[in-house]
Amino acid sequence: MRLPSVTGGACAPTAAARARPADIGEGRRGHGTCKWISARHPAQAAMTKQPTLTLNDGNVIPQFGLGVWQVPNSRAAQVVSHAISTGYRLIDTAAIYENESGTGSGIAQKSVPREELFITTKLWNSEHRNAPSAFLDSLDRLKLDYLDLYLIHWPKPRQNAYAEAWKALVKLKAEGRVKSVGVSNFTVPHLKRIIDETGVVPSVNQIELHPRFQQNDLVAFHAEHGIVTESWSPLGQGSLFDDPDLKQLASKYGKTVAQVVIRWHLDHGFVVIPKSVRPARIDENFDVFDFELEKEDIAKIASLDSRDGRIGPDPDTANF
């Protein structure tokens, strides 16, 4: 099966590419071709360009974005609007977050063309057998004509309806209502089942992934089947900020621990969606396109992986 094409995913632009005034730049690094989406906000004029990934259906996803989990609906418009002004182009929400309407308002406040944005939301567990209607409800709350990516939020295996939900998402894509479809929190057995039953491979699996919980076996399955790995809680919900190894690397690169960890995700070819409601932190998280981690530093971060590193629920037993 086709692997996701990394168009800039694990590479930083060259000095020549950074000097180009065009919105899209290309450069060569190793054997891959890299593409970056430039930030348009004046405060980000000196920033380098964002990487993108090509999904297994041919659509392109920004490799960096804003997650809005736990962002109150009353603040979502302000947060999303600021992120878009900063240069973010990927916004990730979900029906269960109860902030889709605020997210949609934030999108509507900006004059960025819709085709330059990549908007994701998710099907909640109680709606596995009602996916078409739930999809339309989300679209209505977001006040959008289409979605770029729609995900099944959790498999909830006890309910045993995730395969039915997947078939409904595949139909929504075939009807042109959503550009790409995928899943979230699916394990290898869950993925194998929906692929076997439909012949359709998800474009994305959004999973808990951070230096203390790296899920290498699942990531390897994704690579084998052309599924893009998207990291939620990429900063370990703040649990990494006092790690001495990461603090040492932050000092080495002249960056914060958060920026080093975000760069680690990018260098691995993951899509990464850190969450913040603070404008300064939103800006800080975006300032990661002017450096790469050296191989020995990537190896150092790899050593932080732990079997007990999971922070969120286990997808095999979660029953909410």
Side-chain angles (χ1 to χ4, degrees), residues 155-228:
K156 196 177 181 181
R158 278 193 191 178
Q159 184 173 254
N160 195 28
Y162 65 86
E164 181 180 342
W166 179 242
K167 292 172 185 176
L169 265 63
V170 170
K171 185 177 180 182
L172 287 170
K173 176 175 168 56
E175 294 171 348
R177 298 184 180 190
V178 58
K179 289 189 172 183
S180 298
V181 290
V183 295
S184 182
N185 302 299
F186 275 45
T187 66
V188 169
H190 304 142
L191 291 168
K192 286 182 175 178
R193 180 181 174 187
I194 63 174
I195 293 170
D196 289 345
E197 290 195 18
T198 65
V200 179
V201 180
S203 291
V204 171
N205 188 15
Q206 185 182 122
I207 59 174
E208 179 184 346
L209 199 154
H210 46 80
R212 289 203 181 124
F213 192 61
Q214 298 180 25
Q215 302 224 60
N216 292 318
D217 290 342
L218 182 53
V219 169
F221 182 89
H222 291 170
E224 180 184 353
H225 291 79
I227 302 169
V228 163

Side-chain angles (χ1 to χ4, degrees), residues 219-265:
V219 169
F221 182 89
H222 291 170
E224 180 184 353
H225 291 79
I227 302 169
V228 163
T229 300
E230 185 169 14
S231 308
W232 64 257
S233 284
L235 303 177
Q237 297 182 24
S239 64
L240 301 168
F241 293 162
D242 291 326
D243 183 274
D245 288 325
L246 293 174
K247 289 172 74 173
Q248 182 182 33
L249 292 179
S251 178
K252 173 181 176 179
Y253 290 98
K255 295 289 184 178
T256 66
V257 169
Q259 288 168 332
V260 166
V261 174
I262 291 169
R263 188 68 242 180
W264 176 81
H265 287 275

